[in-house]
Amino acid sequence: MTVRVGVLALQGDFREHLAMLRGLGVDAFEVRTPEELEAADALVIPGGESTTIGRLARIYGLLDPLRARIEAGTPVLGTCAGMIVLGAATTGPDQPQLGVLDVVVERNAFGRQVDSFEADLAVAGLDRPVHAVFIRAPWIAKVGAGVEVLAAVTDPETGEQHPVVVRQGNILATSFHPELTGDTRVHEMMLAMVEES
Amino acid sequence: MLQALGVDYIDESEVLTPVDVNHIDKHAFTVPFVCGAKDLGEALRRIAEGAAMIRTKGEPGTGNVVEAVKHMRMMNAEIRRLTTLDANELMGAAKELRAPYDLVKEVAATGKLPVVNFAAGGIATPSDAALMMQLGCDGVFVGSGIFKSGDPSVRARAIVEATTFYNDPEKIAKVSRNLGEAMVGINIDTLTPQERMQDRGL
């Protein structure tokens, strides 16, 4: 049976995720309402502006249904802003978050828009590095006990390691934008989670 | 200087009186630029200069969406036309559009602009925003349409909601209620050619 993946389409680059998923032969569709959420076997929370996505999700009554679905085991991939929305807290002011991924996220960790960059990144479980596009990207400042770190970067100032790809059960999150390169391996990791579940 | 300040984007805006008839060589900067365009040729010239995003020019500050619709329709029609041409006709099309040949070839092959395209200039109501999204824009910029209205925060929220649910007429109707006074629109015909901002730029 074709896997149905709902991409949260309140704001951000949901179109790029849809295109990549459809290229993988998946039935991918936009999710803007709790009813649309029902049909999904897996979810994607795209990149964008996390406060906007979180606030719109709350206003449109999606925050609680999303949380319930993810807590019930629906596989989810969050990229960039999506990682922040999945997280439990940020190092900055409070904002609406799902709190399903036990991490504290630092927003704009690499700096502002002009500090955006691309780099090859080794990710655990993938045979060769991913060409990762970091756009005003976050990193993870603190990981909870049940969170597996699949990739990290080194802070050039402190030498500390900061996770940029993590998995916690059915939740996969990346700081970068796997939907912007032709490389489908991160999305395939999420689809493999659907098989497992 | 703006790049040094760390701004996220720069709008190379025709609204501000242009200090230079030339457009900026945007490749020389790392900060992304958004530029206005009335048609495909203008959009492709700006992209060739390094624009990372395009928006319709519309007629800013008027609360009148007609010009933005016209510009978006024009761009869509020209893109559609390019996709129907055969390879031998593309150089002629590039000449007509006054646009770089390589970009014309790319648009002919993909059927879309190589960068995102926003609607701007005259959007003042939720249905204006939804209309622009239905025409295929990737997003909407609203300035005076919100700030010159009676209740900016309520109107801003309604325009955001209409942009998200642009294909849901019931929702658009619902969010359009009780928004307070809209910005008073200006008829484009009442503007003198000097007052029209969309004609600025190359």
Side-chain angles (χ1 to χ4, degrees):
Chain A
M1 206 182 76
T2 314
V3 179
R4 292 163 302 173
V5 181
V7 180
L8 191 64
L10 300 175
Q11 192 266 342
D13 72 334
F14 50 88
R15 191 178 58 183
E16 284 72 13
H17 277 287
L18 289 166
M20 178 160 273
L21 289 163
R22 284 169 187 158
L24 286 169
V26 165
D27 175 11
F29 54 90
E30 297 171 9
V31 170
R32 295 188 176 84
T33 63
E35 295 73 46
E36 288 166 341
L37 183 61
E38 297 281 309
D41 301 319
L43 295 166
V44 172
I45 305 179
E49 204 287 305
S50 62
T51 313
T52 308
I53 295 174
R55 287 183 62 172
L56 292 179
R58 188 173 60 192
I59 293 169
Y60 305 150
L62 270 166
L63 216 46
D64 291 335
L66 269 173
R67 186 180 294 122
R69 281 300 300 268
I70 297 167
E71 281 174 347
T74 303
V76 58
L77 167 66
T79 63
C80 196
M83 171 192 264
I84 301 168
V85 172
L86 288 168
T90 74
T91 55
D94 281 350
Q95 63 183 80
Q97 285 177 289
L98 291 167
V100 289
L101 176 62
D102 187 13
V103 297
V104 178
V105 186
E106 179 168 351
R107 297 185 58 181
N108 300 318
F110 297 92
R112 294 174 181 240
Q113 185 70 42
V114 292
D115 303 308
S116 298
F117 66 101
E118 299 178 17
D120 289 326
L121 182 74
V123 177
L126 296 180
D127 51 345
R128 59 197 154 74
V130 172
H131 188 67
V133 180
F134 292 89
I135 304 174
R136 253 179 62 177
W139 66 32
I140 289 174
K142 232 170 99 187
V143 277
V147 180
E148 188 186 353
V149 176
L150 302 182
V153 294
T154 308
D155 183 341
E157 282 168 30
T158 64
E160 276 174 55
Q161 290 274 306
H162 291 284
V164 289
V165 182
V166 294
R167 180 170 174 185
Q168 177 190 324
N170 56 319
I171 303 167
L172 179 66
T174 68
S175 294
F176 60 89
H177 289 268
E179 70 282 11
L180 296 183
T181 58
D183 189 341
T184 55
R185 287 176 297 161
V186 172
H187 288 77
E188 286 170 61
M189 275 170 90
M190 182 201 63
L191 295 175
M193 286 155 56
V194 181
E195 310 261 302
E196 288 167 27
S197 67
Chain B
M1 185 190 76
L2 291 170
Q3 179 169 299
L5 286 173
V7 299
D8 285 336
Y9 307 97
I10 296 174
D11 191 331
E12 190 179 13
S13 174
E14 62 281 355
V15 175
L16 308 170
T17 310
V19 293
D20 187 342
V21 293
N22 294 304
H23 290 268
I24 297 167
D25 169 22
K26 291 163 275 285
H27 290 298
F29 298 86
T30 54
V31 59
F33 278 81
V34 58
C35 294
K38 294 195 295 286
D39 53 39
L40 182 59
E42 196 171 9
L44 295 182
R45 289 194 292 280
R46 294 295 85 78
I47 293 167
E49 291 161 0
M53 296 168 278
I54 293 295
R55 57 169 172 74
T56 61
K57 282 182 163 177
E59 190 55 43
T62 59
N64 185 335
V65 77
V66 173
E67 298 301 296
V69 170
K70 210 184 278 173
H71 299 161
M72 192 61 198
R73 283 255 182 233
M74 174 64 97
M75 237 180 273
N76 285 343
E78 288 170 330
I79 291 171
R80 264 199 307 276
R81 177 171 168 266
L82 281 189
T83 63
T84 65
L85 298 184
D86 90 30
N88 301 307
E89 296 169 316
L90 290 179
M91 184 56 87
K95 184 182 168 197
E96 260 172 55
L97 291 168
R98 298 191 295 131
Y101 176 64
D102 287 343
L103 287 174
V104 168
K105 244 180 18 186
E106 187 181 339
V107 173
T110 62
K112 61 186 184 62
L113 284 184
V115 303
V116 286
N117 189 11
F118 295 96
I123 292 147
T125 67
S127 46
D128 287 348
L131 170 64
M132 296 310 298
M133 293 297 288
Q134 285 175 7
L135 286 172
C137 289
D138 296 304
V140 174
F141 289 2
V142 192
S144 48
I146 287 173
F147 296 112
K148 289 189 180 169
S149 72
D151 192 344
S153 80
V154 170
R155 182 163 295 263
R157 179 172 285 203
I159 289 177
V160 168
E161 194 155 354
T163 304
T164 306
F165 296 97
Y166 66 91
N167 268 333
D168 184 342
E170 278 174 35
K171 201 139 206 166
I172 297 165
K174 198 174 132 213
V175 303
S176 299
R177 289 181 195 136
N178 304 319
L179 295 185
E181 208 163 320
M183 174 186 179
V184 178
I186 299 171
N187 242 328
I188 306 297
D189 300 341
T190 64
L191 296 176
T192 65
Q194 288 77 24
E195 285 171 328
R196 282 161 57 105
M197 298 197 209
Q198 59 178 276
D199 299 328
R200 297 178 182 176
L202 301 170

